[in-house]
Amino acid sequence: DISVVASALARSTTLKVLDLSNNGDRIGDAEVKLIADALLSNTRCKLQELFLMANNIGDDGAKYLAEALCHSNCMLQTLILAANNIADDGVKYLAEA
């Protein structure tokens, strides 16, 4: 359950790499919102690499991630979103982050 992962991420001060790739329909926009919210809420988050390849993330999910990327708490250096359902609007959100 992604809510368990998001809850752990919200409290983690040591996790640097998280790979949630190849989960298909189990990780979509709603699940990515939980992850993005966890990144925003954790002021001591050390996550540097987030792999979300081959899931069901769309433009809304991209927007949630872009909002997290813009926050000063966010330490992400690598974000992999290949093989999702992100269209032009989602790419725009991410490019502006």
Side-chain angles (χ1 to χ4, degrees), residues 62-77:
K63 183 178 180 180
Y64 302 140
L65 289 169
E67 290 169 355
L69 288 170
C70 289
H71 199 276
S72 61
N73 291 350
C74 189
M75 305 289 289
L76 275 181
Q77 298 173 1

Side-chain angles (χ1 to χ4, degrees), residues 2-86:
I2 200 68
S3 63
V4 174
V5 174
S7 178
L9 182 59
R11 295 185 313 269
S12 174
T13 59
T14 58
L15 184 68
K16 292 186 178 184
V17 178
L18 180 59
D19 189 346
L20 296 171
S21 297
N22 299 307
N23 282 286
D25 290 337
R26 289 179 296 212
I27 297 182
D29 294 338
E31 292 76 18
V32 167
K33 181 162 182 15
L34 294 174
I35 294 167
D37 287 348
L39 291 171
L40 287 169
S41 69
N42 186 345
T43 59
R44 296 178 9 194
C45 184
K46 302 289 187 241
L47 191 68
Q48 296 175 358
E49 299 179 30
L50 178 57
F51 298 89
L52 292 166
M53 204 171 359
N55 289 303
N56 193 29
I57 302 166
D59 291 341
D60 287 341
K63 183 178 180 180
Y64 302 140
L65 289 169
E67 290 169 355
L69 288 170
C70 289
H71 199 276
S72 61
N73 291 350
C74 189
M75 305 289 289
L76 275 181
Q77 298 173 1
T78 302
L79 175 62
I80 305 296
L81 293 167
N84 279 286
N85 299 313
I86 299 171

